[in-house]
Amino acid sequence: MDNEKNNENKESDADRIIALALIKHLYNEGKISELVYKNIKKETISKISVANRELIC
């Protein structure tokens, strides 16, 4: 069961990291404002496990 929880955590972390990459791309393209980008990033990073946060930086 622990492996299942870890796999679910990793998948959702991966989904969140991909979503952050998409949001950053939209921000760089000028399609969303800096305020929107920062708010989404702040909220999403807090949901990503500490071990996977190094993938973002």
Side-chain angles (χ1 to χ4, degrees):
M1 282 199 172
D2 288 336
N3 284 340
E4 289 176 15
K5 287 182 182 179
N6 286 339
N7 286 338
E8 288 175 18
N9 237 1
K10 288 179 185 176
E11 290 174 10
S12 51
D13 277 357
D15 291 342
R16 289 181 180 116
I17 291 168
I18 290 169
L20 273 178
L22 175 61
I23 294 299
K24 185 173 184 178
H25 174 73
L26 291 174
Y27 169 68
N28 289 337
E29 293 287 315
K31 296 184 179 181
I32 60 171
S33 71
E34 183 177 2
L35 180 63
V36 171
Y37 168 67
K38 285 184 176 182
N39 284 338
I40 292 172
K41 183 178 177 183
K42 179 181 174 185
E43 184 178 319
T44 305
I45 286 180
S46 66
K47 294 178 183 177
I48 295 173
S49 68
V50 175
N52 289 327
R53 286 184 193 172
E54 66 186 34
L55 298 173
I56 297 170
C57 300

